[in-house]
Amino acid sequence: YINTLQHVMEACAANGKEVMIFDRPNPNGFVIDGPILDPQFKSGIGIQPIPVSHGLTVGEYAQMLNGEGWLKNKLKCKITVIKNANYNHDMPYELPVAPSPNLNTAQSILLYPSTCLFEGIYANLGRGTKFPFTVLGAPYYKGIYEFSFTPTGIKGMAETPLFKDEVCYGIDLRNYDTSIFRKTRQINIQWVMELYKASPKKETFFDSKLSNQMLPIEKLIGVADFRKQIIEGKSEAEIRTSWEPGLSKYKEMRKKYLLYP
């Protein structure tokens, strides 16, 4: 959505049109975490040098696009943001409409900044079930994890999911206590670390060529180091240290564009 916002702002700026943004709360607006996107991994997933969880509303991000000169040819777009009333970034908020058929619950949305990384793993992340982005598994985890699910074709959600009609074993996050994110203010990378460590097929774990439903992990996390760090068994602390000082610089820069406390 924010990539589309950029394209709209660029088109309007080039044609002398104003963009009016009716702002909405960000359900994950209290988490500012992740490495800063390396430009070499720009894609439809992410364009600008921001972290995985940016902690902004769309209106705030529009101001950042203008203020940081990120629009094409350094264009500036005239914008008017209709602010949310009585909103702050710490406020719990449940979206009234699912933003995607595969982000269909409040649980999946709160997990998404963490579980989006599952799209870079050779496993099923719940596509082909009624609870995508809240489970992850593969047939090769049999005997390692007890929890299982069987993805099937579901029209309008996932008609040909990875490992269709095969029993997948793995982790179940449907009842995970998402209030933990409010305490840590961090995305969870432990799940990826755990799944790699437990995998009997480590050589294919990050191999996005195996399925058109996978993406290179670099496009999801935004940096080249993450894959190597997981494979080498780096600790979470070591991985997070590598995200600095970029993340701290972003947090400071973000303050200039906040419309809400």
Side-chain angles (χ1 to χ4, degrees):
Y1 295 107
I2 59 174
N3 288 353
T4 300
L5 170 69
Q6 176 173 337
H7 298 321
V8 169
M9 287 176 63
E10 287 170 342
C12 288
N15 290 278
K17 302 295 183 181
E18 179 181 359
V19 173
M20 184 171 287
I21 298 164
F22 291 81
D23 213 6
R24 291 292 183 270
N26 178 350
N28 293 305
F30 55 91
V31 178
I32 305 113
D33 193 34
I36 301 302
L37 176 70
D38 184 323
Q40 69 175 308
F41 299 120
K42 286 169 61 173
S43 70
I45 299 165
I47 300 176
Q48 299 300 348
I50 60 175
V52 174
S53 189
H54 52 72
L56 297 168
T57 67
V58 171
E60 290 170 330
Y61 185 67
Q63 294 193 142
M64 185 178 286
L65 287 171
N66 262 342
E68 295 302 308
W70 287 346
L71 298 182
K72 188 188 300 180
N73 300 323
K74 304 292 183 182
L75 289 169
K76 299 288 184 186
C77 179
K78 183 179 179 182
I79 61 172
T80 297
V81 179
I82 310 302
K83 291 175 60 177
N84 299 307
N86 307 312
Y87 171 70
N88 67 71
H89 283 283
D90 280 328
M91 183 181 295
Y93 181 75
E94 188 168 330
L95 292 172
V97 178
S100 161
N102 286 293
L103 283 173
N104 55 1
T105 63
Q107 183 78 354
S108 65
I109 289 165
L110 291 171
L111 288 169
Y112 186 66
S114 304
T115 57
C116 68
L117 301 179
F118 291 173
E119 293 191 272
I121 295 173
Y122 186 51
N124 182 290
L125 46 71
R127 293 190 191 275
T129 73
K130 295 293 187 179
F131 36 86
F133 288 100
T134 61
V135 299
L136 182 129
Y140 58 78
Y141 282 116
K142 184 177 182 179
I144 299 170
Y145 292 103
E146 291 185 6
F147 170 71
S148 67
F149 62 95
T150 304
T152 60
I154 301 177
K155 190 173 182 180
M157 289 183 71
E159 297 185 27
T160 56
L162 183 60
F163 301 125
K164 181 182 178 183
D165 298 325
E166 296 184 59
V167 180
C168 295
Y169 299 84
I171 59 174
D172 181 2
L173 302 173
R174 286 175 292 176
N175 295 313
Y176 179 77
D177 182 5
T178 54
S179 69
I180 291 171
F181 295 129
R182 291 191 172 277
K183 297 169 187 171
T184 64
R185 307 286 168 143
Q186 295 177 338
I187 62 172
N188 186 308
I189 59 172
Q190 284 285 342
W191 295 322
V192 176
M193 296 168 69
E194 173 194 329
L195 287 158
Y196 179 80
K197 190 174 181 180
S199 175
K201 293 181 176 286
K202 290 182 172 59
E203 69 282 359
T204 62
F205 189 80
F206 287 123
D207 191 350
S208 58
K209 298 185 185 71
L210 294 174
S211 171
N212 61 10
Q213 295 177 39
M214 289 178 66
L215 294 162
I217 192 68
E218 290 78 11
K219 288 188 176 181
L220 296 162
I221 194 72
V223 291
D225 296 344
F226 188 71
R227 179 195 300 250
K228 184 179 178 184
Q229 290 167 332
I230 296 295
I231 291 171
E232 291 180 350
K234 298 292 186 184
S235 68
E236 179 172 2
E238 289 174 309
I239 293 172
R240 289 189 172 281
T241 296
S242 72
W243 297 352
E244 297 291 347
L247 183 57
S248 290
K249 287 181 180 177
Y250 169 80
K251 288 179 179 178
E252 193 61 32
M253 180 264 285
R254 170 182 173 270
K255 293 176 183 177
K256 296 186 289 183
Y257 304 108
L258 294 179
L259 295 170
Y260 316 96

